[in-house]
Amino acid sequence: MFRFITGGESHGPALSAIIEGVPSGLTLDFNEINTQLARRQGGYGRGARQKIETDRAEIITGVRFGKTMGGPISLIIRNRDFENWQDRMSVEPIDADIPPIVEARPGHADFAGMLKYSTHDLRNILERSSARNTATLVAVGSICRIMLATLGVRIFSHVVVLGGIHVHIPFPPNYDEIQSMAERSPVRVADPEKEKFILDAIDNAGSNGDTLGGVFEVIATGCPPGLGSHANWDRRLDGKLAGALMGIQAIKGVEIGMGFGVAEVPGSKVHDELYHDPSTGFTRSSNNAGGLEGGMTNGEPIVVRAAMKPLSTLKSPLKSVNMETKEAVTAHFERSDVCAVPAAGVIGEAMAGIVLAEAVLEKFGGDSMGELIRNFNGYLAEIGSRGYRSSRETAKDA
Ligand code: EPS
């Protein structure tokens, strides 16, 4: 069974994660994990904090000579900024008067968390709810993606809306081009024209003490048909993907394929017609389903979008209430990003990787990579005998 849990506070000593259920014999490329962490730290519109941090995952259990052993993998990512927060975030009791934070930020976890966890100091809530904690999700996701890559699954993302500016993507999408353009763009968009307007919009929002949200799209290619299941609501892969993306801080909406557009047009304009050719196997005229039908992958690219609200820490703060005195105040501000949508796309890739890795392990099992790959290739051979042609080569040993 694949499962994981994360821990850590934004300005505490370190973030942590424990992952169980990764098959033995997977070669972990540590550079790849740290590359993913660096991608998450990037993007135009990030604040001063990213100049302090250089995230690196230190793996402390479950790996020997660079390969997984089958036991839980534990990792930590140190917060370099802790050095500047040793008093305010001391794990041990200290003999100093640290004033509590009492001005809840509208849109943040502050208000509900303060009531739920019975605290008068919002720092106890904001430290754990901080999007800093997404670094651990990216580290876990990158291990999942290393495993998925051995089966030919590729995951990438690009930003499609930022600050209300919509990116233009030619139809049909050329995914190789989108991926390489997004990787080169400071806002991860595959549209150089719109990129200029987006950069200006971020600068303007920053000078106004405001923040910007947007929409990113995650694409996964190379998934075989049949991950997830139609058999019960909680086994549907579209539900799991939506839940995982919603689990990222600040995400308020998720859509798959044509998404909310399916409500606008008749069925003949929604469903992706099927064709078969002996050499290419089954093909489709479109991918409005975003690679998922009946809660299962159908062999087409998985396409999921998520909408991120503008960050709730505003330099020109909104109106709020002092949680102790109940006086009208402005919301708490320390330091923040103007925009983190490009980073959210990288986190979305990680969450998709986690969900797909879990689905792959559920379908193909595998205490070892050899077993996983054998089962995976056996399934491809079986569906191949029924007319399915995979564009990928059979998976090779990890
Ligand atoms: C965040 C506030 C900012 C962001 C942080 C998320 O941190 P700080 O208050 O230390 O300036 O930079 O994101 C990260 C540190 C990160 O690594 O993504 C928040 O309140 O959610």
Side-chain angles (χ1 to χ4, degrees), residues 10-11 15 40-41 46-50 52-53 55 79 81 85 105 108 110 123 126-127 129-135 249 311-313 334-337 340 343 347:
S10 180
H11 305 97
L15 309 171
R40 190 202 70 91
Q41 288 198 268
R46 296 286 252 160
R49 177 74 187 274
Q50 297 312 321
I52 302 171
E53 306 293 345
D55 293 338
N79 288 321
D81 205 16
W85 293 74
R105 286 162 295 176
H108 209 276
D110 297 350
R123 181 161 302 288
L126 71 86
E127 283 290 337
S129 62
S130 164
R132 168 88 191 130
N133 295 298
T134 57
Q249 284 86 337
L311 297 171
S312 54
T313 310
E334 244 157 34
R335 184 175 65 182
S336 187
D337 305 314
I347 303 156

Side-chain angles (χ1 to χ4, degrees), residues 171 175 217-218 220 236-239 241 254-262 265 267 269-274 284-305:
F171 186 83
Y175 286 135
E217 180 172 88
V218 177
R236 288 180 175 259
L237 199 69
D238 38 13
L241 278 167
V254 176
E255 56 178 13
I256 294 180
M258 203 175 174
F260 274 50
V262 298
V265 287
K269 301 265 184 300
V270 171
H271 302 298
D272 310 309
E273 289 181 308
L274 268 158
R284 304 280 186 148
S285 51
S286 52
N287 184 23
N288 293 332
L292 288 148
E293 290 173 309
M296 291 173 279
T297 51
N298 64 5
E300 300 300 311
I302 296 174
V303 183
V304 198
R305 279 181 297 280

Side-chain angles (χ1 to χ4, degrees), residues 1-5 17-24 28 58-64 67-75 143:
M1 182 175 123
F2 176 86
R3 56 183 176 168
F4 75 98
I5 192 158
I18 302 181
I19 316 152
E20 194 182 5
V22 178
S24 70
L28 286 187
E58 294 170 39
I59 295 182
I60 50 176
T61 76
V63 178
R64 184 165 183 243
K67 283 188 185 254
T68 56
M69 294 184 286
I73 301 170
S74 322
L75 60 89
I143 292 174

